[in-house]
Amino acid sequence: MRIERLENTPISLKNDGRLSLFFIGVGSAFSKRHFQTNLLVIKGEDHLLIDCGSKMPQALFELGISIMDIKNFFITHSHADHIGGLEEAMLMNRYVKKQKANIIISKEYQSILWNHSLRGGCSFNEHKGNHYLEFEDYWEIIRPEKITGYFRPMWEARSGSLNIKIFRTMHIPESARGWADSFYSVGIIIDDRILFSSDTRFDREMIVEINKAFNIEGIFHDCQFFPGGVHSPLEELKTLPAEIKKKTVLTHYGDNWEDFEAKVTEYGFPGLGKQWYFYSF
């Protein structure tokens, strides 16, 4: 893994062909010192934005580009720090750029995202024929296909040269006993090499089994610094096998991160994820 800070803006959405993860933010939902944990994956001519939180349009502006420059989206779940910038992306694309971006999304999650989060701000802007706008009026949809042979249900999709495998996670509510009775949230495997958990409670089986099934070179995992709640406490993450911890970078953390940097290193992790850094493989 090669770690490099972005030196100049505007950020480029292309590179020399390496698989590169750029953290637009690394903060928790309510962080004031960082942007939200949203991830830009770049490989050659291709890019994919994973999550588009409420601070995303501003973050991209500070990086020297526009939300309209992003052509490919994937959303892991419906909290505002992961979807809050989508309405701006949709409206700007339709009414300013007059284009549709691509989104990788299942039918199940499309219904959840549209009906419970986006419809109010996006459907009623036009009366098209005898109905208002639908999700498909804003997006070119890429449907993931279900694949078998893994320890839990998994789906697969492509965005250009990028391959992603999608699996359910155990995020909300706190009372859920596992991924199957949790509300919709997912993590992804990128090019069979990188595990990005997005938001999840501590789920040892998920981490261990994915690490076993794929040639995982890097893990970027949700982390919080207190017990309970709907994220992964550092004190639980430290119980992972040493060979997994040494390739696990922690993200989605709170503004008091400086108080825990020493513990993160002591527990065997390479460190906390850094905003506006490239992690390349």
Side-chain angles (χ1 to χ4, degrees):
M1 180 168 62
R2 183 168 151 190
I3 305 172
E4 298 173 294
R5 179 175 172 78
L6 175 71
E7 295 297 337
N8 299 296
T9 58
I11 186 173
S12 175
L13 297 176
K14 301 177 182 179
N15 68 15
D16 59 5
R18 75 185 76 175
L19 177 61
S20 190
L21 282 65
F22 179 81
F23 280 89
I24 291 171
V26 291
S28 66
F30 310 116
S31 174
K32 301 299 182 287
R33 298 179 64 190
H34 286 122
F35 289 118
Q36 297 147 339
T37 299
N38 297 172
L39 175 61
L40 181 62
V41 183
I42 304 169
K43 181 181 164 187
E45 299 289 313
D46 300 310
H47 71 270
L48 177 66
L49 181 66
I50 301 171
D51 291 330
C52 184
S54 54
K55 297 180 180 180
M56 174 61 70
Q58 179 65 34
L60 291 178
F61 174 79
E62 294 188 20
L63 287 164
I65 63 174
S66 163
I67 190 69
M68 294 180 289
D69 293 320
I70 304 297
K71 300 297 191 294
N72 305 291
F73 291 73
F74 177 78
I75 304 299
T76 64
H77 67 289
S78 291
H79 280 148
D81 56 319
H82 298 264
I83 66 164
L86 279 180
E87 181 176 310
E88 181 170 336
M90 293 162 72
L91 295 177
M92 292 292 283
N93 275 335
R94 184 167 181 85
Y95 297 111
V96 178
K97 197 124 184 190
K98 303 188 186 305
Q99 67 176 9
K100 288 185 184 181
N102 301 310
I103 190 166
I104 299 171
I105 192 167
S106 66
K107 285 185 178 180
E108 175 191 9
Y109 186 51
Q110 178 181 322
S111 177
I112 293 168
L113 181 61
W114 179 247
N115 289 311
H116 295 288
S117 298
L118 297 175
R119 188 176 180 185
C122 294
S123 182
F124 306 106
N125 299 302
E126 295 177 50
H127 207 185
K128 188 178 177 183
N130 61 353
H131 61 84
Y132 290 106
L133 296 178
E134 299 290 344
F135 189 83
E136 293 87 346
D137 292 310
Y138 288 96
W139 297 101
E140 296 290 350
I141 295 169
I142 300 170
R143 293 283 187 224
E145 296 184 0
K146 192 167 186 178
I147 54 178
T148 59
Y150 296 101
F151 68 103
R152 67 177 61 171
M154 199 169 288
W155 295 261
E156 184 174 35
R158 297 198 70 87
S159 178
S161 63
L162 290 163
N163 175 277
I164 66 168
K165 292 181 173 66
I166 305 158
F167 56 89
R168 288 288 305 275
T169 56
M170 180 176 63
H171 181 29
I172 56 172
E174 186 178 357
S175 59
R177 293 166 295 175
W179 67 267
D181 62 339
S182 295
F183 189 64
Y184 186 95
S185 62
V186 299
I188 69 170
I189 302 158
I190 305 165
D191 277 359
D192 293 349
R193 300 170 68 189
I194 309 300
L195 167 59
F196 177 63
S197 73
S198 191
D199 291 9
T200 182
R201 287 157 54 206
F202 183 63
D203 186 348
R204 176 186 295 274
E205 179 197 45
M206 179 266 286
I207 305 167
V208 170
E209 291 299 323
I210 288 176
N211 187 64
K212 186 190 302 182
F214 299 91
N215 184 27
I216 297 297
E217 300 173 39
I219 299 171
F220 297 86
H221 202 285
D222 183 13
C223 176
Q224 66 181 27
F225 300 131
F226 54 90
V230 295
H231 296 276
S232 295
L234 177 60
E235 295 300 315
E236 293 185 24
L237 287 163
K238 79 171 185 180
T239 67
L240 288 168
E243 66 272 16
I244 290 179
K245 288 193 290 186
K246 71 181 181 182
K247 57 184 173 184
T248 300
V249 176
L250 304 178
T251 64
H252 203 282
Y253 49 83
D255 283 346
N256 57 338
W257 52 270
E258 287 138 326
D259 298 335
F260 294 88
E261 280 187 297
K263 270 193 175 181
V264 167
T265 303
E266 175 192 336
Y267 291 165
F269 298 99
L272 298 170
K274 296 181 179 181
Q275 180 170 293
W276 291 20
Y277 275 72
F278 294 96
Y279 292 79
S280 299
F281 298 84

